[in-house]
Structures are given as structure tokens and as C-alpha cells.
Amino acid sequence: MTLFEQFERHINPGLAGLLRFTGLDKVESHAEGVYVWDTEGKRYLDFLGLYGTLSLGHRHPKVVAAVKAQLDKMPMSVRVMVSEPTTKLAARLAEITPGELSMVYFGNSGTEGVEAALKFARFYTGKPGFITTQGGYHGKTLGALSVTPREHYQLPARPLVPGVTVVPYGDAQAIEAAIGPDTAAVIVEPIQGEGGIRVPPEGYLREVRRITREKGVLMIADEVQTGLGRTGRLWAVDWEEVDPDILVSAKALGGGVMPISATICRPEILSIYKTEPLIHSTTFGGNPLAAAAALAAIEVTLEEDMPARALEMGQYLMAQLGSLQQAYPEFIQEVRGRGLLVGLEFSDADIGAVVVAELATRGVLTAFGLNNPKVVRLEPPLIVEKTHIDECLEALDGALKATQLAFEGVL
């Protein structure tokens, strides 16, 4: 039995079928920078970047070195003493996040970070309700899933956490109208990732902040996918100079080497820890290895000005994609995004799926949005060069030509 067949039998048969369709029924071997190789020796240009996790590319040497050094020293915390790298990371996050954010809870993934944010909001306000947005994606654990309003994922897990109101994304007035006496918080992505790389109207985040502040409701910014330079600013809320009450970071925070999330709050929101220090805790969250990776990732991001690189390379990528849209107007409906968080919306989800498969055969990794399968996402590492973008565009042009032939006479 091959390794892929073992995956199909013991892990996820449905995903195995999807990988077969896209031509990625392969086994990954190793990776470096913007490239991945399979066990057959084929090289792939990674323009998915583990859904925004690999901002620094695969195996960035400074992050790998930091983790190796910590591994030789102390890989796991005993949890009954203070961890040096974990504490230093919390202090560093307090320095680089907006406003008064200064208290940090560490988890292992974005969905854990969101779960913590929801609980902290209830602890602090004493209220049960949340407002979320259509197309929003915040994770698939029960609480995070409850504020991820897609029936496809929610239905098999119901009943979910009650008290969630869903409003249109980009409509601040809808949020204002939905706030009631039981509302604890509004959770929002500065740019929706899985929802199809949806950029809200200018001023939306500022207006949400004004409304939540005036109504005495917390604002949770989910920066799991947008944070640490992806959109051309260190944090996507920086585009509108917004300081949320809670900010959730993950994915890129681990430097592409270790899993980690951080739920960063204004200090009064975590005042419960003064009397109930074990009210919400974790064994592995913010462990020394992950904290060392995150500290190194932050320093690389700042020293090498990754947000500026994301902005420059993103502008180049978007401009070239605009030319492809003109060449294939029957397929590509819209090119949108900010920085290196870019989406191609196709006229049909099946067309997008075929394009993803055709790109894979040409050695380029992409994926569609989990909440909007019509949109193919392009999230290359922020270390990407114009030559890599040109390589992707050449493959995309070939993929679109092949898709045109496949759908000839259908559209």
C-alpha cells in the first residue's frame, strides 16, 4: 500500500479524492523558500503558502535557527515556572500591536485564538451574544464555528453556541442595528480570507470601531490570515488606524516553522486572571519552541520590512492579473485583494476547480476559498520575487487556455 493510499484509508478519504482531482495525489518531500518538492522530484511554486502561514517562506533560516537553539535548551515548558521565550514574546506583541493591547493568551491555532477571544468577551462583559458577518471564517471548533456562518460546515455540528447574529460584511450600519442588550462583541476580519478575499469599503473598520465603542461592545479583529504584513501593513487594521479590544493572530506568527496563536487583549479584558488564573489555560499553547519561532519571525518581518515587500509585490501581481482578466473575461470576473492576499473570482466554482488542477499540473500550488469556492486565492510568501510571480502568471495563462478548451461549447 502506498503512502497516499494509507492517507486515504486512515486520515481523510474525501480529501484524498479531491487531491486526486487536482493532480496532487503526491507526497511532499522537502521545501525551501517559495518552492516545494514531492517524493518523485517534481518542484512546485507555492502560491498558497499554507493559507497565509508561510509569510517568510519555507524554512526561513533565522526562524529555523531560533527553534533549533531552543530545542537544545528546553523544548517544552513545565508550566509551573515562567517561560523565558513565551514571556518575551508576549512583551514583544504588546509593543507591536495597536492601541492598548498588552495582555496575551497563547494557543496553537487560529481557531483556538478565536475560542479564547469569545470566552474572554463573555467573561469581561457578562453578556452572551456575538455579531459576525456573512462570509466570515473564524475556525471550526464549536465556538469559532458558531461565528463562521456557512451552513455546509455548521449543519452537522448543530446545535451550536447560541446568541450569534449574522450581518452583511462591509455594512457597519447593519452591525449598529444588530447590537442589543445581550451583545458582548463584534468579530470581524479586516479582509475576509476564506470568504473570497473580500476587501470592505474604505472606512468600514473605523466605523465599526466607533459604533462598538459608543455602544459599549467589544471589537474582536480576526487577523489570523491578515496579520504580520500580509496586506502591506503589519496588521490589516493599521490601514484604518483602528485599535480593537481583542486581536487574534496565528498562521504567520510561527514563522512557517511552528504552530502558535496569540489572543491579544486590552488589559482590563483579562482582569479575571487576577482572581482566576486558571479560568482558561493550555498545555502546549505558546510553548518555548513556538515562542522562539514567533520571536524570530517578528524580527525578520520588521528587519526586512516584509509589509513593504507585500505591498510592492502585490501591486505587481494584481496589475498582471488584471491583464489576464482582460484576456479571459468569460472566466475571470474580478481580481481583488490587498498586498499579497489576492483572489481571482471565476464565473463558476467548477471553472475555478479546473484552474487549480491545471495549475498543479504546471507546478503551481493554489486553492479556492473555503467559504467561496468560486475564488482562487494567491497567497505567496512575502519573500516572493517578480521572477516567481512571472512564473506563476505563465502557468496561470496556460491553465486558463486548457480550461478554455475543457469548457468549449459549454459556456
Side-chain angles (χ1 to χ4, degrees):
M1 184 181 294
T2 67
L3 200 60
F4 187 86
E5 289 169 339
Q6 289 177 30
F7 173 90
E8 185 171 30
R9 174 176 290 188
H10 299 297
I11 297 180
N12 193 324
L15 181 57
L18 183 60
L19 292 172
R20 276 201 184 90
F21 171 78
T22 58
L24 289 171
D25 49 342
K26 312 294 182 185
V27 178
E28 60 193 24
S29 170
H30 60 283
E32 183 77 29
V34 299
Y35 290 108
V36 179
W37 286 260
D38 66 23
T39 51
E40 297 172 4
K42 182 174 178 177
R43 189 183 75 173
Y44 300 83
L45 180 64
D46 190 350
F47 260 56
L48 177 60
L50 193 53
Y51 311 99
T53 299
L54 297 165
S55 286
L56 305 181
H58 291 273
R59 299 197 310 116
H60 192 285
K62 290 184 180 178
V63 180
V64 170
V67 172
K68 285 182 175 179
Q70 186 62 43
L71 183 62
D72 287 338
K73 187 177 180 182
M74 188 174 187
M76 284 289 153
S77 170
V78 296
R79 292 297 183 197
V80 290
M81 299 170 70
V82 171
S83 165
E84 179 183 354
T86 308
T87 304
K88 285 182 175 179
L89 175 58
R92 193 72 177 105
L93 285 168
E95 291 173 352
I96 66 172
T97 45
E100 299 176 5
L101 299 175
S102 61
M103 289 283 290
V104 187
Y105 171 83
F106 291 112
N108 303 282
S109 64
T111 192
E112 286 182 54
V114 169
E115 288 284 341
L118 299 177
K119 285 182 71 175
F120 295 157
R122 282 186 168 182
F123 290 164
Y124 179 66
T125 65
K127 298 175 181 181
F130 298 101
I131 296 173
T132 189
T133 59
Q134 292 171 0
Y137 183 91
H138 304 287
K140 291 181 183 148
T141 52
L142 201 60
L145 180 61
S146 300
V147 292
T148 298
R150 189 177 180 204
E151 190 165 296
H152 179 77
Y153 300 128
Q154 288 187 339
L155 191 59
R158 287 177 178 168
L160 301 172
V161 174
V164 176
T165 301
V166 184
V167 300
Y169 184 67
D171 186 345
Q173 280 60 54
I175 288 176
E176 186 169 24
I179 292 174
D182 289 333
T183 304
V186 174
I187 183 166
V188 64
E189 295 163 276
I191 297 174
Q192 286 190 341
E194 303 297 346
I197 319 299
R198 296 175 63 200
V199 182
E202 186 176 352
Y204 171 66
L205 296 176
R206 279 196 302 271
E207 188 65 4
V208 172
R209 175 70 285 192
R210 180 193 66 78
I211 290 166
T212 52
R213 189 169 279 133
E214 287 184 1
K215 297 285 188 177
V217 171
L218 300 183
M219 178 181 180
I220 302 170
D222 182 340
E223 292 247 20
V224 168
Q225 197 161 158
T226 56
L228 287 171
R230 171 63 53 182
T231 70
R233 296 284 188 273
L234 189 60
W235 307 103
V237 293
D238 291 343
W239 282 99
E240 295 194 12
E241 299 181 343
V242 165
D243 56 332
D245 299 292
I246 302 173
L247 184 149
V248 183
S249 176
K251 293 193 184 296
L253 183 59
V257 176
M258 293 295 297
I260 186 172
S261 66
T263 304
I264 312 129
C265 309
R266 288 194 290 109
E268 60 269 29
I269 292 170
L270 286 183
S271 59
I272 192 170
Y273 274 145
K274 293 179 180 178
T275 55
E276 297 288 346
L278 300 178
I279 197 71
H280 188 70
S281 57
T282 173
T283 299
F284 298 117
N287 63 75
L289 285 179
L295 280 166
I298 289 170
E299 295 319 307
V300 171
T301 299
L302 296 176
E303 289 170 5
E304 300 185 16
D305 201 356
M306 289 298 174
R309 282 194 53 78
L311 195 59
E312 179 188 357
M313 293 297 106
Q315 288 170 345
Y316 179 74
L317 174 60
M318 294 269 286
Q320 304 308 308
L321 290 172
S323 298
L324 278 180
Q325 182 185 9
Q326 292 178 351
Y328 300 93
E330 74 278 23
F331 285 166
I332 304 175
Q333 290 188 325
E334 188 179 1
V335 177
R336 58 177 180 261
R338 182 171 284 166
L340 284 171
L341 183 61
V342 178
L344 288 175
E345 179 157 353
F346 287 89
S347 54
D348 185 272
D350 289 341
I351 292 171
V354 171
V355 169
V356 168
E358 289 290 341
L359 279 170
T361 65
R362 290 163 173 79
V364 177
L365 302 178
T366 57
F368 51 79
L370 291 180
N371 273 357
N372 191 345
K374 289 173 63 177
V375 177
V376 173
R377 334 129 54 106
L378 300 176
E379 297 180 57
L382 308 190
I383 61 170
V384 71
E385 302 283 353
K386 286 185 178 180
T387 54
H388 302 130
I389 293 175
D390 292 341
E391 184 182 343
C392 173
L393 292 166
E394 183 180 354
L396 181 56
D397 187 39
L400 288 164
K401 281 186 172 70
T403 304
Q404 210 169 35
L405 289 173
F407 282 86
E408 195 171 17
V410 178
L411 298 176

